[in-house]
Amino acid sequence: MPSPTIGRRVRPAYPILLLLAPVLAAGCATTRPGVPPDGAAPTPSAVWATGEQPAAPAATPTTSRPASPAPSSGKPSPSAPRAGLRHVFPVRADNVDYHTTHGAYPATDVFADCGEPFVAVTDGKVLEVSRVDRYSKSGPQGPDNGGLSVSLLGDDGVRYYGSHLSVVGAGIEAGVRVRAGQQLGKVGRTGNANNVCHVHFGISPPCTGKDGWWIRRGVLWPARYLDSWRQGGNREPAAEVTTWQRKHGCPKAP
């Protein structure tokens, strides 16, 4: 009596592999950054649907067809704050001094000869540049006090602001990437500098969409960080800035 299978195609028995493949694939999730833990691994059904392939180890489909990262993978943004960045003193000069206090609000005046380089404290992106001194003693006191200035958003998520500059460097514009120690401008006495050569230095959080001069000018006392950077240390203000913003948010103009 002829076998009932003659003349008919026999499909390999893969149900067990189909059941095991998702389990094996899930075991690789922790080694694949960007793949959601709730199952973005590739389904093996597309590989095995035709029934034409010979039996193979269950791991083959998952290793030969890696999953594409899902839109909600939680992959870190390129602009996410980074820790451990190099920080440098903001004025490159031999004869330099600064106060540990400042009038009316937290900031520091760094005194040096006019023309000495004002540099980027850390790697980051230029946020704002003022190349025109609009300050007037008879005008509003606050918005234009800085004269020529540059503000930098460091890759550590902190904004660093320097003002009263005599000049802003060529090519230093909003959106430009800079490196720690790169010159941004020169020490000067523009704005409300009382005719004394110095850089007004402020540390603050960037308050996107709600920002203003009253935040940009500084919200933390910088001296402890300046002390560290001047001695070649790398004390980081990011944690203190984060704590301040959680407490105060982005306050309106005083």
Side-chain angles (χ1 to χ4, degrees):
M1 181 175 180
S3 170
T5 62
I6 295 177
R8 291 189 303 165
R9 186 174 189 172
V10 178
R11 304 179 71 86
Y14 295 121
I16 294 177
L17 291 176
L18 286 169
L19 291 173
L20 290 177
V23 176
L24 294 172
C28 299
T30 57
T31 63
R32 296 178 58 80
V35 177
D38 57 350
T43 173
S45 59
V47 179
W48 299 104
T50 62
E52 299 294 335
Q53 298 184 20
T60 301
T62 59
T63 56
S64 62
R65 294 176 62 100
S68 299
S72 59
S73 63
K75 195 172 183 179
S77 166
S79 59
R82 293 163 50 198
L85 291 171
R86 174 179 173 239
H87 292 72
V88 301
F89 195 80
V91 175
R92 192 166 62 236
D94 294 328
N95 184 18
V96 63
D97 200 1
Y98 52 92
H99 292 309
T100 57
T101 60
H102 188 275
Y105 57 91
T108 295
D109 289 332
V110 182
F111 297 91
D113 293 337
C114 280
E116 296 285 16
F118 167 64
V119 304
V121 166
T122 192
D123 296 354
K125 181 177 67 174
V126 176
L127 280 179
E128 297 173 284
V129 172
S130 171
R131 294 181 180 273
V132 179
D133 185 359
R134 296 184 174 88
Y135 174 72
S136 170
K137 288 186 178 181
S138 61
Q141 300 301 295
D144 299 320
N145 280 24
L148 276 62
S149 64
V150 177
S151 65
L152 166 71
L153 176 60
D155 289 345
D156 55 2
V158 176
R159 174 174 43 193
Y160 302 96
Y161 171 70
S163 64
H164 303 317
L165 305 178
S166 60
V167 64
V168 174
I172 302 301
E173 304 288 351
V176 170
R177 291 281 308 169
V178 294
R179 306 289 290 180
Q182 181 175 336
Q183 185 168 341
L184 305 178
K186 295 181 180 181
V187 176
R189 51 190 180 188
T190 58
N192 188 16
N194 293 320
N195 206 33
V196 178
C197 296
H198 71 280
V199 170
H200 171 97
F201 182 70
I203 296 177
S204 65
C207 291
T208 305
K210 301 178 180 180
D211 201 11
W213 57 267
W214 60 93
I215 303 173
R216 182 175 59 244
R217 67 186 181 180
V219 301
L220 302 181
W221 295 109
R224 71 187 73 179
Y225 303 105
L226 294 172
D227 289 345
S228 172
W229 304 337
R230 192 177 188 182
Q231 297 170 12
N234 199 41
R235 189 166 188 168
E236 301 181 61
E240 189 179 2
V241 168
T242 299
T243 299
W244 186 93
Q245 190 169 19
R246 284 174 179 168
K247 182 177 179 179
H248 300 280
C250 293
K252 295 181 180 180

